[in-house]
Amino acid sequence: MDYIKTMQFYKDLGKKAMMVLNNSEYYSLCEKAEQEKSFCHHDYTYHNIIIDEDNAMNVIDFDYSKREIRIFDISNL
């Protein structure tokens, strides 16, 4: 019964999300990322940024890297 009570809310939320995506530049940005062969770390968090003894910043742990629009990493950071 709880599912039936909330299902319409989430269905409407999904439709709204699709409308926002369709009215944005998201798909063209994805196409551009594909053409440029850019990638994202996909786990760009504080524990994957290491500062060495020369104060140089190094990014580690590229296990989840994939082709993606670059803003993905920034939004997760």
Side-chain angles (χ1 to χ4, degrees), residues 1-10:
M1 292 305 291
D2 286 338
Y3 170 78
I4 292 170
K5 290 177 187 175
T6 59
M7 187 260 324
Q8 190 61 48
F9 170 79
Y10 288 105

Side-chain angles (χ1 to χ4, degrees), residues 11-21:
K11 186 176 176 182
D12 293 341
L13 190 63
K15 285 180 181 180
K16 184 178 177 183
M18 289 302 299
M19 187 176 68
V20 168
L21 281 175

Side-chain angles (χ1 to χ4, degrees), residues 6-39:
T6 59
M7 187 260 324
Q8 190 61 48
F9 170 79
Y10 288 105
K11 186 176 176 182
D12 293 341
L13 190 63
K15 285 180 181 180
K16 184 178 177 183
M18 289 302 299
M19 187 176 68
V20 168
L21 281 175
N22 288 333
N23 292 324
S24 72
E25 298 293 318
Y26 177 73
Y27 294 111
S28 63
L29 290 172
C30 289
E31 188 175 306
K32 185 178 179 182
E34 186 68 28
Q35 291 170 354
E36 293 176 350
K37 307 290 189 232
S38 61
F39 75 98

Side-chain angles (χ1 to χ4, degrees), residues 44-61 77:
Y44 197 62
T45 59
Y46 71 93
H47 60 269
N48 286 330
I49 302 170
I50 306 296
I51 300 175
D52 65 18
E53 61 276 350
D54 297 325
N55 280 337
M57 222 171 5
N58 301 280
V59 180
I60 61 169
D61 192 11
L77 183 61

